[in-house]
Amino acid sequence: MFFSFDGIDGSGKSTQMSRFVAWLEQQGHDVVVCRDPGSTPLGESLRELLLHRHELALSARAEMHVYMAARAQLVDEVIRPALEAGRTVVSDRYLLANVVYQGHAGGIEPAEVWRIGRFTVGGVLPDVNIVLDVPPETAAERLRRDETREPDRMERRGEEFCRQLRAGYLAEAAADPRHVVLVDATRGVEEIEADVRRVAQRVIDSAAEVRGT
Ligand code: ADP
C-alpha cells in the first residue's frame, strides 16, 4: 500500500505523518517513509537545489522537470522495491504536489503535469493522497509561531500563491475524490489524526478484500 501526505506548508503534514506511521507500525505494517523530492542521494541533492538555491533562476517548466527527475529516482530506488516486497510506503508529498504547485499555482496546464508525471512514475501512484486542508492564514500563523523555520523557495512566494495552491488541491479532490481526500486540518491534532486513520482504514480494508483475507 502506498499513502502520500500533501497540503501547504504549515498544514501539519510532518506532525500527522509521524503519528500515522507510528499507528501503522502498531498495526504490524512494515513501513517505509520517504519524502518527495528526496530520500535518494540524487533526490536529496535536487531537493537542496529546488528549495534553497535561491540564486538559481528556475522557470516553472524547468522546476517541474527537476521535481520529476527526483521522483523518477525515488520510485526506482525506494518506492517500487518497497511495494514489491509487500511493505507500506508513506511519502511526504508526491506527484499531486507537482500538479498543484507547478500546475494550478505555477501556470502549467495541470493535465500536462499529470501526463508527464504518469510517465515519470511508471504507474506507481498512491492508493490515496491525504491532503491536509487549511486556509493559508492558518498555515502562515502556525509557521510564524515556529521560529526554527527558515522560509524556503516555496514559502517565499507568499499568501496569494498559497490561495492558488489551496484552490488547486480542492479542484483535484473534486476531480478524483477516491484518490485525493481532503481532511479538515484546522482542528486539533487528535481529531485530524482520527480522520486520517479513517481514510487509510478504507484503503487497508479494500486491499485485504482484494487479497481475500
Ligand atoms: P508542515 O509539515 O505541513 O509544514 P508541521 O507539522 O511542521 O506542518 O506543523 C507546522 C507547525 O504547526 C508546527 O509548529 C506544529 O507544531 C504546528 N501544528 C501542527 N498541527 C497543528 C494543529 N492541528 N493545530 C495547531 N498547530 C499545529
Side-chain angles (χ1 to χ4, degrees):
M1 265 165 296
F2 179 10
F3 300 96
S4 90
F5 279 75
D6 222 309
I8 60 179
D9 284 306
S11 59
K13 251 180 325 99
S14 317
T15 307
Q16 291 299 329
M17 246 185 81
S18 62
R19 287 170 169 252
F20 179 63
V21 168
W23 177 73
L24 283 175
E25 285 172 342
Q26 275 163 22
Q27 316 262 308
H29 290 261
D30 180 6
V31 183
V32 173
V33 181
C34 60
R35 60 180 187 177
D36 177 19
S39 301
T40 67
L42 177 72
E44 290 296 330
S45 302
L46 295 177
R47 182 185 183 92
E48 169 65 21
L49 183 158
L50 284 163
L51 297 181
H52 301 296
R53 296 283 303 277
H54 304 301
E55 78 285 6
L56 284 181
L58 205 50
S59 73
R61 276 181 297 171
E63 186 179 45
M64 177 196 73
H65 282 295
V66 179
Y67 277 103
M68 293 290 179
R71 186 171 311 113
Q73 193 65 30
L74 177 64
V75 168
D76 291 343
E77 216 175 298
V78 178
I79 299 180
R80 190 182 293 110
L83 293 174
E84 283 173 0
R87 305 177 78 186
T88 299
V89 176
V90 180
S91 184
D92 183 347
R93 298 195 186 282
Y94 198 62
L95 175 55
L96 175 65
N98 223 177
V99 170
V100 168
Y101 278 73
Q102 282 69 47
H104 290 276
I108 301 175
E109 176 57 46
E112 284 295 296
V113 187
W114 277 121
R115 191 179 61 78
I116 296 164
R118 279 198 202 92
F119 168 76
T120 299
V121 301
V124 178
L125 288 166
D127 293 288
V128 66
N129 298 271
I130 296 168
V131 177
L132 300 175
D133 181 45
V134 289
E137 305 79 54
T138 308
E141 176 54 33
R142 287 181 187 168
L143 293 180
R144 264 196 297 276
R145 278 204 302 266
D146 189 347
E147 285 163 1
T148 59
R149 284 175 84 116
E150 282 279 318
D152 65 27
R153 188 189 289 269
M154 292 300 154
E155 288 164 11
R156 286 167 164 232
R157 292 185 183 171
E159 285 200 11
E160 177 49 32
F161 185 69
C162 284
R163 262 183 285 282
Q164 291 171 341
L165 295 176
R166 190 180 190 205
Y169 284 119
L170 296 182
E172 292 298 328
D176 186 4
R178 207 162 93 86
H179 294 109
V180 182
V181 178
L182 299 180
V183 169
D184 173 3
T186 58
R187 299 166 298 162
V189 170
E190 269 99 28
E191 288 166 280
I192 302 166
E193 185 182 13
D195 265 7
V196 167
R197 288 181 187 178
R198 263 193 291 277
V199 172
Q201 193 64 53
R202 283 203 293 270
V203 172
I204 295 167
D205 290 346
S206 64
E209 229 168 78
V210 170
R211 284 199 310 271
T213 52

